[in-house]
Amino acid sequence: MTATPATRRSFLALALATPLAASALAACGSSGPGQASSGGATMWILTGQPGEGIRTDAVDTFNEANGDQEITLTAFQNDAYKAKIRTAIGADQAPTILPTWGGGGLRDYVSNGKVEDLTPFFEENADLKDKLFSSAFAAATVDGKIYAVPCEAVTPIVFYYNKKLFDQVGAQPPATWDDLMALVPVFKGAGIAPVSLGGQSRWTNMMWLEYLYDRIGGAELFQAIYDGEADAWSRPESLDALTKVQDLVRAGGFVDGFASIAADSNADQALLYTDKAAMMLHGAWTYGSMKADGGDFVTGGQLGYVNFPTVTGGKGDPAATVGNPSGYYALSATATDEAKAAAQEFLAEGLVTDATTDAWIAAGSVPIVVGADSRFGDSEDAEWLQFVYDLASGAPTFQQSWDQALSPTAADALLENIEKLFTLSVTPQQFADAMNATTAS
């Protein structure tokens, strides 16, 4: 088994967020776009392989074994799904089972009474809950209640490094932030960019803040932001994180011209595997891309990876991680009782199975299933898969990517202000003030 080459967008499909081609598996009948003509259960999924095939096979297998509770499947391109689901939910015609990113979007569904409280479902299906990474449930939980089923694969943000370049300067990967800052002049002195960054994409910059906030302030710092607490962005720990990232910018830690490098073209990854840059903070999805495009960089053992460095005096747990905890499916609150019953049967018995677990592994991904590492076998990527599995399964907290966790309005403001922060166009306090204003609104 080999890792499938992918970009951030295609791996966000695993977290249900990918722009890909639409399917012709349209639901039929006169009861609206989210309802099967018989009143039975319906399910919407996103297209694009390997995810679409795995999802479709799971539904087909369930339908074959449950002829009296068949689920009608419809697949959508990401952008089409986003438009369709807003209309369907507003008209109470949502599918029985719907993809969600969790976080801020799910919270909106909950506040408007559009999705079912699945806390009782998990009490009745404790074996399913125990089977899944506990860290995946945070993004599915609103006010202490679970409103979505975590599933599919996990993609944490990973600190990558080029072993060849580290050997060249006689250095070790940084264990602390101070170590990282000390490495900047070492690599610059050797004519090597310390850190690759596709800053034009902005969400790549966000990863640095996600980890710094967690390492300095602990999980409760972003939780305060997510909960909308007043002035949470300007807490001392927040300002410390903002200052530290600007310290790295001023020290020349990022490759020259980082603000004009686009991550979608994988140019940032190329800087790492062509020995132009020594380090890179990026998603687990980049492993497959570097393996496919980087010659023998991956297969030759030159790619190193560790968890993000600690910050001396910080409150965060060094084992915590950030990124995309899993994919999620919610249950429509407006579905019929018959449809809800069939849907819950599928969520309990058909969504996470041995077959789907093996399929995600075969695609080069790590399923959010406890013990899935026993299935890695003799994969040539077994070491990498085990690293991701250990990182995700052992994380005391798994902070969801901010642009998914926050409301769309706050996420847009965040990316705009992150760009200004990294180009030194605003101070940490100005960044915090701008974000506090967004949260307050």
Side-chain angles (χ1 to χ4, degrees):
M1 294 179 292
T2 58
T4 302
T7 64
R8 178 197 190 230
R9 288 188 176 275
S10 64
F11 259 96
L12 279 178
L14 307 184
L16 306 177
T18 301
L20 295 159
S23 166
L25 298 173
C28 58
S30 59
S31 52
Q35 301 297 322
S37 58
S38 65
T42 56
M43 179 177 179
W44 289 3
I45 62 171
L46 298 185
T47 56
Q49 301 301 340
E52 181 183 1
I54 297 172
R55 296 166 191 139
T56 301
D57 287 348
V59 172
D60 287 347
T61 299
F62 176 82
N63 286 344
E64 290 172 6
N66 298 272
D68 58 339
Q69 291 184 310
E70 288 193 2
I71 294 173
T72 302
L73 188 65
T74 308
F76 290 99
Q77 165 188 10
N78 180 71
D79 290 344
Y81 171 75
K82 287 181 177 179
K84 193 79 170 178
I85 195 63
R86 284 195 296 269
T87 301
I89 285 182
D92 287 339
Q93 294 181 337
T96 317
I97 303 171
L98 63 145
T100 171
W101 291 265
L106 181 63
R107 175 172 283 201
D108 286 346
Y109 291 161
V110 172
S111 64
N112 288 294
K114 299 300 184 181
V115 292
E116 196 85 354
D117 176 8
L118 294 178
T119 308
F121 166 82
F122 278 107
E123 291 172 352
E124 296 173 5
N125 295 278
D127 56 336
L128 174 62
K129 187 176 183 182
D130 292 342
K131 181 189 296 186
L132 307 176
F133 290 177
S134 59
S135 57
F137 281 87
T141 302
V142 178
D143 297 331
K145 296 181 179 179
I146 303 171
Y147 287 90
V149 180
C151 59
E152 303 189 349
V154 60
T155 48
I157 306 305
V158 175
F159 194 93
Y160 296 101
Y161 66 98
N162 183 316
K163 292 181 179 180
K164 175 182 175 181
L165 298 182
F166 270 76
D167 288 344
Q168 180 178 320
V169 301
Q172 296 295 318
T176 68
W177 183 260
D178 291 339
D179 291 342
L180 175 60
M181 292 298 293
L183 285 171
V184 170
V186 173
F187 284 111
K188 286 176 66 69
I192 300 166
V195 180
S196 178
L197 178 65
Q200 186 182 54
S201 301
R202 304 187 302 179
W203 50 263
T204 47
N205 303 354
M206 179 182 67
M207 297 173 182
W208 286 88
L209 287 185
E210 288 170 347
Y211 264 124
L212 280 170
Y213 271 59
D214 189 85
R215 293 294 187 261
I216 294 171
E220 60 269 24
L221 178 57
F222 183 71
Q223 188 64 43
I225 293 169
Y226 176 72
D227 291 340
E229 293 186 16
D231 299 326
W233 284 103
S234 55
R235 288 185 178 184
E237 298 92 337
S238 173
L239 295 175
D240 187 12
L242 297 168
T243 299
K244 277 183 167 54
V245 82
Q246 286 199 329
D247 288 344
L248 185 57
V249 173
R250 289 191 175 94
F254 297 115
V255 62
D256 290 344
F258 71 86
S260 62
I261 297 174
D264 287 348
S265 66
N266 294 344
D268 48 356
Q269 300 173 40
L271 290 171
L272 188 72
Y273 63 68
T274 58
D275 303 333
K276 302 294 193 304
M279 297 170 278
M280 180 180 70
L281 185 66
H282 221 311
W285 55 85
T286 60
Y287 175 90
S289 300
M290 289 188 285
K291 183 176 180 181
D293 301 332
D296 63 354
F297 179 66
V298 173
T299 57
Q302 295 306 308
L303 176 64
Y305 36 82
V306 293
N307 202 354
F308 192 82
T310 62
V311 175
T312 303
K315 300 177 183 177
D317 191 315
T321 192
V322 306
N324 304 315
S326 78
Y328 296 94
Y329 286 98
L331 179 62
S332 172
T334 59
T336 65
D337 290 343
E338 176 189 356
K340 287 180 183 178
Q344 291 194 44
E345 184 71 18
F346 172 74
L347 293 175
E349 303 293 340
L351 184 61
V352 182
T353 66
D354 287 346
T356 60
T357 297
D358 288 340
W360 288 112
I361 293 172
S365 302
V366 174
I368 63 159
V369 174
V370 176
D373 58 334
S374 66
R375 299 170 179 265
F376 295 162
D378 57 357
S379 166
E380 64 183 18
D381 298 308
E383 182 179 350
W384 162 253
L385 294 171
Q386 190 67 54
F387 169 79
V388 174
Y389 176 89
D390 291 343
L391 182 62
S393 63
T397 58
F398 195 135
Q399 188 181 111
Q400 187 184 28
S401 294
W402 287 358
D403 54 355
Q404 300 296 338
L406 296 174
S407 70
T409 300
D412 287 344
L414 173 69
L415 294 176
E416 178 183 346
N417 284 287
I418 278 179
E419 181 178 16
K420 295 176 181 177
L421 183 78
F422 274 69
T423 56
L424 307 179
S425 301
V426 296
T427 66
Q429 187 63 58
Q430 289 171 328
F431 175 95
D433 290 344
M435 291 309 302
N436 281 334
T438 300
T439 303
S441 65

